[in-house]
Amino acid sequence: QVQLVESGGGPVQAGGSLGLSCIGSGFKFNTYNIAWFRRRGTHSEREGIALISAGGAAKKYADFLEGRFIVSRDNAKATAHLQMNNLQLADTAIYYCARVPAHWWTLAPADETYWGQGTQVTVSA
């Protein structure tokens, strides 16, 4: 059974940093790209923010992040990470990691996307 479990969310002050983790199980972790999405409101669409290739060599970020976030992965531990720096109020959201196919290289959900349950990040002034 495919599972993705995020952790590391919580409250943080504006300007601070937070690191999220995503542990995958039930599939061959090093053969899939891992994407990070967020949903900023109950009725908002999930927006893609970062993507890392199966081997970890290639990374892609949403332009609006302006270099504040860093995505990485440790395939030996079947874990992906999202380091978020200089957090702003607008970064408040539920953050999701997702498994996408190795051929998928866009910050949008694929048909065959598996989602984690999400972790809440709340940035306060």
Side-chain angles (χ1 to χ4, degrees):
Q1 180 185 358
V2 174
Q3 277 197 309
L4 295 162
V5 180
E6 301 96 336
S7 61
V12 61
Q13 286 195 311
S17 298
L18 209 57
L20 305 182
S21 296
C22 169
I23 299 177
S25 61
F27 64 100
K28 204 167 181 184
F29 191 81
N30 63 359
T31 63
Y32 288 88
N33 296 346
I34 296 294
W36 289 90
F37 292 79
R38 68 184 184 187
R39 190 197 300 271
R40 292 197 283 170
T42 307
H43 303 293
S44 301
E45 295 286 325
R46 275 187 266 218
E47 57 183 2
I49 55 176
L51 180 60
I52 185 167
S53 62
K59 301 175 185 181
K60 186 183 186 79
Y61 297 95
D63 290 341
F64 58 76
L65 293 179
E66 298 179 327
R68 297 183 296 118
F69 292 10
I70 301 169
V71 64
S72 62
R73 66 191 293 163
D74 182 345
N75 284 340
K77 296 181 180 178
T79 303
H81 302 280
L82 184 68
Q83 177 64 35
M84 305 185 295
N85 301 314
N86 190 20
L87 284 159
Q88 308 299 310
L89 297 180
D91 294 319
T92 293
I94 299 174
Y95 285 75
Y96 302 86
C97 69
R99 186 194 86 170
V100 297
H103 68 270
W104 192 258
W105 197 246
T106 183
L107 291 172
D111 288 342
E112 308 135 31
T113 297
Y114 273 88
W115 298 95
Q117 84 287 352
T119 185
Q120 175 73 48
V121 172
T122 303
V123 184
S124 60

